Amino acid sequence: MLEKYSIRTDLALEQKERFESDNVEVPGVVLDESYDDEKEIRTTTVKIETENGAKTMGKPVGTYITMEAPNMTVPDEGYHEEISEELLKHLKQFAHLEKKDYSVLVVGLGNRKVTPDALGPYVVDNLNITRHIVKEYGKYAMGEDQARLVSAIVPGVMGQTGMETVEILKGVVEETKPDLLIAIDALAARSSRRLNSTIQIADTGINPGSGVGNHRNAITEDTVGVPVIAIGVPTVVDAATIVNDTMENLIEALETSETLKGVGVVMQGYNAAEKYELIKELISPHLNGLFVTPKDIDETVKRISFTISESLNMLFSGGHAHNR
């Protein structure tokens, strides 16, 4: 039954939820949840501890932290500052920047010309890049004892460069020798309510394009040679999942209707994966492979990219925010 779970999502949290909805326990996977009433941010940590758990979840062994902030789509600068600070806390868990002259390479994955996929490049645009200054003038030019060397690259997508992103990064890592690579990418979600209101941080690296079915080579410590932290925000949702959610609501409505009760009972016989497969067949070929993004995506991606870059700037500068 587990092999039927071909739900398109980049979020470990959603992958875990699919199993829970069918009461399937995943051995080797630990889930921890917390909610901050004041900031209205729900944080879920999914730890995949065994190779078996990784196989079942379809994700590598490691830690996946998901921050859900429904108001992230709202243009409230104060609230976005709170999200930046919360994100900073989680990044500190993964990035051990104690070493002197620590060097970080930030990679903005995605395509600048396609708005839902422009998150990575936009984050890089707002970063405080310091490697060249420290190299040229020394760390005191930054007014700090422990200057962190921050460099960044927007490698583009294979259609633009003809190269796998990982091939480009291997060369850059070999030449510049960073201690850590941080990759930022737009993700695909399973649930439309998580669009642009969720941030996932993982210490396992990233598979660019996997959420929308483009399987590019993974960017991980194994492939590039340095630890990789991935930061992602879901900006698109598979059309099949929107229909699926609508069908779920329809089934609930059918259950409460006396005359149509029988139809609801038949549909209830399917598990989540079977329902999803049925819907994919029903809407194929017209909607299959179609991905949907909110209409205000331009503004939203710019705003969220700034929120993430502020968090990174604070991480690299020892906690000082930069004014807009």
Side-chain angles (χ1 to χ4, degrees), residues 10-11 66-67 69 72-73 83 87 115-120 123 183-189 194-201 206 230-237 293 297 300-301 303-305 307-308:
D10 287 312
L11 299 173
T66 310
M67 286 168 53
M72 202 155 92
T73 51
I83 296 169
L87 176 57
T115 311
D117 199 25
L119 180 78
V123 168
I184 296 108
D185 201 9
L187 308 178
R194 289 205 173 97
L195 282 180
N196 302 320
S197 61
T198 307
I199 301 175
Q200 177 175 272
I201 312 111
I206 199 161
I231 303 171
V233 174
T235 58
V236 295
V237 66
T293 195
I297 190 69
T300 308
V301 163
R303 198 178 307 119
I304 295 169
S305 68
T307 303
I308 293 171

Side-chain angles (χ1 to χ4, degrees), residues 86-151:
E86 195 68 18
L87 176 57
L88 176 65
K89 267 194 258 174
H90 301 309
L91 286 171
K92 280 178 175 170
Q93 275 178 251
F94 288 152
H96 306 291
L97 307 180
E98 298 83 17
K99 191 185 131 190
K100 219 176 172 191
D101 300 335
Y102 198 90
S103 175
V104 184
L105 171 63
V106 181
V107 181
L109 296 168
N111 187 345
R112 195 185 286 279
K113 292 178 180 170
V114 180
T115 311
D117 199 25
L119 180 78
Y122 285 0
V123 168
V124 167
D125 289 348
N126 291 314
L127 277 184
N128 191 15
I129 306 294
T130 58
R131 184 176 181 268
H132 58 306
I133 300 170
V134 177
K135 286 269 181 200
E136 186 80 23
Y137 304 107
K139 59 189 175 186
Y140 297 106
M142 300 302 300
E144 289 166 32
D145 284 352
Q146 271 187 304
R148 295 187 178 110
L149 283 71
V150 180
S151 53

